[in-house]
Amino acid sequence: MTEQSFEWDEAKNQENQQKDNVTFYDAQYAFLDPDRVIAEDMSHSQDEQRYYCFGLNEKGNGILTVRFTYRSGHIRIIGAGYWRKGKKIYEQTNSI
C-alpha cells in the first residue's frame, strides 16, 4: 500500500477514530480486498462524486465501509467504520 495513493484530513481522521474507532490508515486495507465492492454515494454527491468501498480490514475479520472521493489523482478518505449496512451489501454482493 502506498501512502501516495491515499490522503485525508488529519483532524477528520482523529474525529473518526474517536467516533468509529477506525483510523483512515487502517481504512485503506478495504481497498486491498479483491472482493471489495465500490458503490456511488448518492446522498452526498452534490458537489463532487463520492463513493463507498466495502472491504475486509487488515486482519480479514471485519468488513469496513469507507466513504471516499477522488481528488488530484488520489483517493481521499472522508469516513470509515464498521457499519451494518455496508456489511450487508458486501455479503450480498459476494454471496456470503
PDB file of all heavy atoms in Angstrom, residues 32-54:
ATOM      1  N   LEU A  32      -7.706  -3.072  -0.593  1.00  0.00           N
ATOM      2  CA  LEU A  32      -6.863  -4.199  -0.996  1.00  0.00           C
ATOM      3  C   LEU A  32      -7.636  -5.508  -1.119  1.00  0.00           C
ATOM      4  O   LEU A  32      -7.132  -6.469  -1.693  1.00  0.00           O
ATOM      5  CB  LEU A  32      -5.715  -4.382   0.004  1.00  0.00           C
ATOM      6  CG  LEU A  32      -4.719  -3.239   0.103  1.00  0.00           C
ATOM      7  CD1 LEU A  32      -3.677  -3.543   1.175  1.00  0.00           C
ATOM      8  CD2 LEU A  32      -4.052  -2.974  -1.236  1.00  0.00           C
ATOM      9  N   ASP A  33      -8.835  -5.545  -0.594  1.00  0.00           N
ATOM     10  CA  ASP A  33      -9.652  -6.750  -0.647  1.00  0.00           C
ATOM     11  C   ASP A  33     -10.055  -7.015  -2.106  1.00  0.00           C
ATOM     12  O   ASP A  33     -10.710  -6.178  -2.728  1.00  0.00           O
ATOM     13  CB  ASP A  33     -10.899  -6.543   0.216  1.00  0.00           C
ATOM     14  CG  ASP A  33     -11.832  -7.743   0.235  1.00  0.00           C
ATOM     15  OD1 ASP A  33     -11.575  -8.734  -0.481  1.00  0.00           O
ATOM     16  OD2 ASP A  33     -12.832  -7.667   0.980  1.00  0.00           O
ATOM     17  N   PRO A  34      -9.662  -8.160  -2.672  1.00  0.00           N
ATOM     18  CA  PRO A  34     -10.025  -8.446  -4.067  1.00  0.00           C
ATOM     19  C   PRO A  34     -11.537  -8.560  -4.277  1.00  0.00           C
ATOM     20  O   PRO A  34     -12.017  -8.401  -5.393  1.00  0.00           O
ATOM     21  CB  PRO A  34      -9.319  -9.769  -4.373  1.00  0.00           C
ATOM     22  CG  PRO A  34      -9.012 -10.364  -3.054  1.00  0.00           C
ATOM     23  CD  PRO A  34      -8.889  -9.236  -2.071  1.00  0.00           C
ATOM     24  N   ASP A  35     -12.295  -8.779  -3.202  1.00  0.00           N
ATOM     25  CA  ASP A  35     -13.751  -8.874  -3.292  1.00  0.00           C
ATOM     26  C   ASP A  35     -14.457  -7.588  -2.858  1.00  0.00           C
ATOM     27  O   ASP A  35     -15.676  -7.588  -2.643  1.00  0.00           O
ATOM     28  CB  ASP A  35     -14.254 -10.047  -2.433  1.00  0.00           C
ATOM     29  CG  ASP A  35     -13.763 -11.383  -2.948  1.00  0.00           C
ATOM     30  OD1 ASP A  35     -13.733 -11.574  -4.176  1.00  0.00           O
ATOM     31  OD2 ASP A  35     -13.395 -12.235  -2.111  1.00  0.00           O
ATOM     32  N   ARG A  36     -13.691  -6.500  -2.740  1.00  0.00           N
ATOM     33  CA  ARG A  36     -14.280  -5.231  -2.306  1.00  0.00           C
ATOM     34  C   ARG A  36     -15.420  -4.834  -3.250  1.00  0.00           C
ATOM     35  O   ARG A  36     -15.464  -5.231  -4.403  1.00  0.00           O
ATOM     36  CB  ARG A  36     -13.230  -4.132  -2.257  1.00  0.00           C
ATOM     37  CG  ARG A  36     -12.752  -3.701  -3.629  1.00  0.00           C
ATOM     38  CD  ARG A  36     -11.564  -2.749  -3.533  1.00  0.00           C
ATOM     39  NE  ARG A  36     -11.013  -2.476  -4.840  1.00  0.00           N
ATOM     40  CZ  ARG A  36     -10.154  -3.256  -5.496  1.00  0.00           C
ATOM     41  NH1 ARG A  36      -9.736  -4.381  -4.937  1.00  0.00           N
ATOM     42  NH2 ARG A  36      -9.721  -2.927  -6.691  1.00  0.00           N
ATOM     43  N   VAL A  37     -16.309  -4.008  -2.725  1.00  0.00           N
ATOM     44  CA  VAL A  37     -17.436  -3.505  -3.501  1.00  0.00           C
ATOM     45  C   VAL A  37     -17.343  -1.976  -3.482  1.00  0.00           C
ATOM     46  O   VAL A  37     -17.202  -1.385  -2.411  1.00  0.00           O
ATOM     47  CB  VAL A  37     -18.781  -3.970  -2.889  1.00  0.00           C
ATOM     48  CG1 VAL A  37     -19.955  -3.386  -3.668  1.00  0.00           C
ATOM     49  CG2 VAL A  37     -18.852  -5.482  -2.833  1.00  0.00           C
ATOM     50  N   ILE A  38     -17.419  -1.372  -4.659  1.00  0.00           N
ATOM     51  CA  ILE A  38     -17.417   0.089  -4.770  1.00  0.00           C
ATOM     52  C   ILE A  38     -18.802   0.518  -5.231  1.00  0.00           C
ATOM     53  O   ILE A  38     -19.334  -0.027  -6.197  1.00  0.00           O
ATOM     54  CB  ILE A  38     -16.355   0.589  -5.779  1.00  0.00           C
ATOM     55  CG1 ILE A  38     -14.960   0.075  -5.412  1.00  0.00           C
ATOM     56  CG2 ILE A  38     -16.388   2.104  -5.884  1.00  0.00           C
ATOM     57  CD1 ILE A  38     -14.366   0.617  -4.138  1.00  0.00           C
ATOM     58  N   ALA A  39     -19.388   1.490  -4.524  1.00  0.00           N
ATOM     59  CA  ALA A  39     -20.710   1.990  -4.873  1.00  0.00           C
ATOM     60  C   ALA A  39     -20.722   3.513  -4.759  1.00  0.00           C
ATOM     61  O   ALA A  39     -20.036   4.078  -3.897  1.00  0.00           O
ATOM     62  CB  ALA A  39     -21.757   1.392  -3.937  1.00  0.00           C
ATOM     63  N   GLU A  40     -21.488   4.153  -5.599  1.00  0.00           N
ATOM     64  CA  GLU A  40     -21.593   5.611  -5.540  1.00  0.00           C
ATOM     65  C   GLU A  40     -22.450   6.004  -4.345  1.00  0.00           C
ATOM     66  O   GLU A  40     -23.465   5.370  -4.049  1.00  0.00           O
ATOM     67  CB  GLU A  40     -22.205   6.157  -6.827  1.00  0.00           C
ATOM     68  CG  GLU A  40     -22.135   7.673  -6.888  1.00  0.00           C
ATOM     69  CD  GLU A  40     -22.510   8.248  -8.240  1.00  0.00           C
ATOM     70  OE1 GLU A  40     -22.811   7.474  -9.164  1.00  0.00           O
ATOM     71  OE2 GLU A  40     -22.485   9.475  -8.368  1.00  0.00           O
ATOM     72  N   ASP A  41     -22.031   7.050  -3.658  1.00  0.00           N
ATOM     73  CA  ASP A  41     -22.765   7.607  -2.523  1.00  0.00           C
ATOM     74  C   ASP A  41     -23.726   8.649  -3.088  1.00  0.00           C
ATOM     75  O   ASP A  41     -23.349   9.793  -3.301  1.00  0.00           O
ATOM     76  CB  ASP A  41     -21.786   8.223  -1.523  1.00  0.00           C
ATOM     77  CG  ASP A  41     -22.469   8.855  -0.323  1.00  0.00           C
ATOM     78  OD1 ASP A  41     -23.719   8.877  -0.271  1.00  0.00           O
ATOM     79  OD2 ASP A  41     -21.750   9.334   0.566  1.00  0.00           O
ATOM     80  N   MET A  42     -24.942   8.251  -3.351  1.00  0.00           N
ATOM     81  CA  MET A  42     -25.913   9.124  -3.995  1.00  0.00           C
ATOM     82  C   MET A  42     -26.397  10.257  -3.098  1.00  0.00           C
ATOM     83  O   MET A  42     -26.784  11.308  -3.578  1.00  0.00           O
ATOM     84  CB  MET A  42     -27.122   8.304  -4.477  1.00  0.00           C
ATOM     85  CG  MET A  42     -26.751   7.203  -5.468  1.00  0.00           C
ATOM     86  SD  MET A  42     -25.905   7.798  -6.949  1.00  0.00           S
ATOM     87  CE  MET A  42     -27.276   8.549  -7.789  1.00  0.00           C
ATOM     88  N   SER A  43     -26.352  10.079  -1.790  1.00  0.00           N
ATOM     89  CA  SER A  43     -26.881  11.105  -0.878  1.00  0.00           C
ATOM     90  C   SER A  43     -25.898  12.228  -0.585  1.00  0.00           C
ATOM     91  O   SER A  43     -26.293  13.254  -0.050  1.00  0.00           O
ATOM     92  CB  SER A  43     -27.340  10.453   0.431  1.00  0.00           C
ATOM     93  OG  SER A  43     -26.244   9.865   1.096  1.00  0.00           O
ATOM     94  N   HIS A  44     -24.631  12.065  -0.912  1.00  0.00           N
ATOM     95  CA  HIS A  44     -23.634  13.098  -0.632  1.00  0.00           C
ATOM     96  C   HIS A  44     -22.850  13.491  -1.878  1.00  0.00           C
ATOM     97  O   HIS A  44     -21.712  13.912  -1.788  1.00  0.00           O
ATOM     98  CB  HIS A  44     -22.645  12.616   0.438  1.00  0.00           C
ATOM     99  CG  HIS A  44     -23.279  12.427   1.771  1.00  0.00           C
ATOM    100  ND1 HIS A  44     -23.735  11.200   2.203  1.00  0.00           N
ATOM    101  CD2 HIS A  44     -23.555  13.287   2.768  1.00  0.00           C
ATOM    102  CE1 HIS A  44     -24.250  11.328   3.409  1.00  0.00           C
ATOM    103  NE2 HIS A  44     -24.153  12.580   3.774  1.00  0.00           N
ATOM    104  N   SER A  45     -23.440  13.357  -3.052  1.00  0.00           N
ATOM    105  CA  SER A  45     -22.688  13.564  -4.288  1.00  0.00           C
ATOM    106  C   SER A  45     -23.079  14.836  -5.028  1.00  0.00           C
ATOM    107  O   SER A  45     -22.961  14.918  -6.231  1.00  0.00           O
ATOM    108  CB  SER A  45     -22.872  12.348  -5.207  1.00  0.00           C
ATOM    109  OG  SER A  45     -22.362  11.199  -4.617  1.00  0.00           O
ATOM    110  N   GLN A  46     -23.546  15.859  -4.318  1.00  0.00           N
ATOM    111  CA  GLN A  46     -23.967  17.082  -4.988  1.00  0.00           C
ATOM    112  C   GLN A  46     -22.794  17.877  -5.557  1.00  0.00           C
ATOM    113  O   GLN A  46     -22.810  18.280  -6.713  1.00  0.00           O
ATOM    114  CB  GLN A  46     -24.787  17.978  -4.046  1.00  0.00           C
ATOM    115  CG  GLN A  46     -26.138  17.414  -3.677  1.00  0.00           C
ATOM    116  CD  GLN A  46     -26.068  16.434  -2.508  1.00  0.00           C
ATOM    117  OE1 GLN A  46     -25.055  16.302  -1.835  1.00  0.00           O
ATOM    118  NE2 GLN A  46     -27.160  15.730  -2.262  1.00  0.00           N
ATOM    119  N   ASP A  47     -21.771  18.123  -4.757  1.00  0.00           N
ATOM    120  CA  ASP A  47     -20.646  18.962  -5.184  1.00  0.00           C
ATOM    121  C   ASP A  47     -19.532  18.171  -5.858  1.00  0.00           C
ATOM    122  O   ASP A  47     -18.866  18.672  -6.747  1.00  0.00           O
ATOM    123  CB  ASP A  47     -20.064  19.734  -3.989  1.00  0.00           C
ATOM    124  CG  ASP A  47     -21.084  20.703  -3.394  1.00  0.00           C
ATOM    125  OD1 ASP A  47     -21.923  21.209  -4.160  1.00  0.00           O
ATOM    126  OD2 ASP A  47     -21.025  20.940  -2.176  1.00  0.00           O
ATOM    127  N   GLU A  48     -19.313  16.963  -5.439  1.00  0.00           N
ATOM    128  CA  GLU A  48     -18.312  16.084  -6.042  1.00  0.00           C
ATOM    129  C   GLU A  48     -18.790  14.648  -5.896  1.00  0.00           C
ATOM    130  O   GLU A  48     -19.547  14.341  -4.990  1.00  0.00           O
ATOM    131  CB  GLU A  48     -16.939  16.252  -5.384  1.00  0.00           C
ATOM    132  CG  GLU A  48     -16.877  15.788  -3.941  1.00  0.00           C
ATOM    133  CD  GLU A  48     -15.517  15.999  -3.294  1.00  0.00           C
ATOM    134  OE1 GLU A  48     -14.558  16.351  -3.981  1.00  0.00           O
ATOM    135  OE2 GLU A  48     -15.440  15.808  -2.076  1.00  0.00           O
ATOM    136  N   GLN A  49     -18.357  13.800  -6.792  1.00  0.00           N
ATOM    137  CA  GLN A  49     -18.757  12.402  -6.698  1.00  0.00           C
ATOM    138  C   GLN A  49     -18.100  11.763  -5.486  1.00  0.00           C
ATOM    139  O   GLN A  49     -16.895  11.915  -5.282  1.00  0.00           O
ATOM    140  CB  GLN A  49     -18.375  11.650  -7.956  1.00  0.00           C
ATOM    141  CG  GLN A  49     -19.255  11.973  -9.135  1.00  0.00           C
ATOM    142  CD  GLN A  49     -18.970  11.049 -10.293  1.00  0.00           C
ATOM    143  OE1 GLN A  49     -17.860  10.994 -10.777  1.00  0.00           O
ATOM    144  NE2 GLN A  49     -19.984  10.323 -10.733  1.00  0.00           N
ATOM    145  N   ARG A  50     -18.901  11.089  -4.705  1.00  0.00           N
ATOM    146  CA  ARG A  50     -18.404  10.355  -3.543  1.00  0.00           C
ATOM    147  C   ARG A  50     -18.818   8.902  -3.665  1.00  0.00           C
ATOM    148  O   ARG A  50     -19.822   8.579  -4.290  1.00  0.00           O
ATOM    149  CB  ARG A  50     -18.935  10.968  -2.254  1.00  0.00           C
ATOM    150  CG  ARG A  50     -18.354  12.345  -2.004  1.00  0.00           C
ATOM    151  CD  ARG A  50     -18.680  12.829  -0.636  1.00  0.00           C
ATOM    152  NE  ARG A  50     -18.065  14.130  -0.402  1.00  0.00           N
ATOM    153  CZ  ARG A  50     -18.128  14.780   0.735  1.00  0.00           C
ATOM    154  NH1 ARG A  50     -18.772  14.262   1.762  1.00  0.00           N
ATOM    155  NH2 ARG A  50     -17.542  15.945   0.866  1.00  0.00           N
ATOM    156  N   TYR A  51     -18.037   8.050  -3.014  1.00  0.00           N
ATOM    157  CA  TYR A  51     -18.228   6.619  -3.152  1.00  0.00           C
ATOM    158  C   TYR A  51     -18.084   5.929  -1.812  1.00  0.00           C
ATOM    159  O   TYR A  51     -17.543   6.492  -0.849  1.00  0.00           O
ATOM    160  CB  TYR A  51     -17.177   6.040  -4.112  1.00  0.00           C
ATOM    161  CG  TYR A  51     -17.176   6.696  -5.462  1.00  0.00           C
ATOM    162  CD1 TYR A  51     -16.381   7.810  -5.706  1.00  0.00           C
ATOM    163  CD2 TYR A  51     -17.980   6.208  -6.489  1.00  0.00           C
ATOM    164  CE1 TYR A  51     -16.382   8.422  -6.953  1.00  0.00           C
ATOM    165  CE2 TYR A  51     -17.983   6.815  -7.735  1.00  0.00           C
ATOM    166  CZ  TYR A  51     -17.187   7.922  -7.959  1.00  0.00           C
ATOM    167  OH  TYR A  51     -17.203   8.530  -9.185  1.00  0.00           O
ATOM    168  N   TYR A  52     -18.532   4.675  -1.792  1.00  0.00           N
ATOM    169  CA  TYR A  52     -18.288   3.772  -0.669  1.00  0.00           C
ATOM    170  C   TYR A  52     -17.401   2.637  -1.161  1.00  0.00           C
ATOM    171  O   TYR A  52     -17.560   2.153  -2.277  1.00  0.00           O
ATOM    172  CB  TYR A  52     -19.593   3.142  -0.166  1.00  0.00           C
ATOM    173  CG  TYR A  52     -20.528   4.078   0.535  1.00  0.00           C
ATOM    174  CD1 TYR A  52     -21.706   4.489  -0.085  1.00  0.00           C
ATOM    175  CD2 TYR A  52     -20.272   4.513   1.825  1.00  0.00           C
ATOM    176  CE1 TYR A  52     -22.591   5.335   0.567  1.00  0.00           C
ATOM    177  CE2 TYR A  52     -21.147   5.359   2.480  1.00  0.00           C
ATOM    178  CZ  TYR A  52     -22.308   5.765   1.852  1.00  0.00           C
ATOM    179  OH  TYR A  52     -23.181   6.594   2.495  1.00  0.00           O
ATOM    180  N   CYS A  53     -16.495   2.210  -0.312  1.00  0.00           N
ATOM    181  CA  CYS A  53     -15.747   0.980  -0.537  1.00  0.00           C
ATOM    182  C   CYS A  53     -16.080   0.069   0.631  1.00  0.00           C
ATOM    183  O   CYS A  53     -15.904   0.445   1.793  1.00  0.00           O
ATOM    184  CB  CYS A  53     -14.242   1.250  -0.570  1.00  0.00           C
ATOM    185  SG  CYS A  53     -13.248  -0.259  -0.686  1.00  0.00           S
ATOM    186  N   PHE A  54     -16.612  -1.109   0.323  1.00  0.00           N
ATOM    187  CA  PHE A  54     -16.905  -2.125   1.331  1.00  0.00           C
ATOM    188  C   PHE A  54     -15.861  -3.221   1.156  1.00  0.00           C
ATOM    189  O   PHE A  54     -15.774  -3.833   0.081  1.00  0.00           O
ATOM    190  CB  PHE A  54     -18.306  -2.707   1.126  1.00  0.00           C
ATOM    191  CG  PHE A  54     -19.381  -1.662   0.990  1.00  0.00           C
ATOM    192  CD1 PHE A  54     -19.998  -1.443  -0.235  1.00  0.00           C
ATOM    193  CD2 PHE A  54     -19.771  -0.896   2.066  1.00  0.00           C
ATOM    194  CE1 PHE A  54     -20.985  -0.483  -0.381  1.00  0.00           C
ATOM    195  CE2 PHE A  54     -20.763   0.073   1.931  1.00  0.00           C
ATOM    196  CZ  PHE A  54     -21.373   0.274   0.699  1.00  0.00           C
TER     197      PHE A  54
END
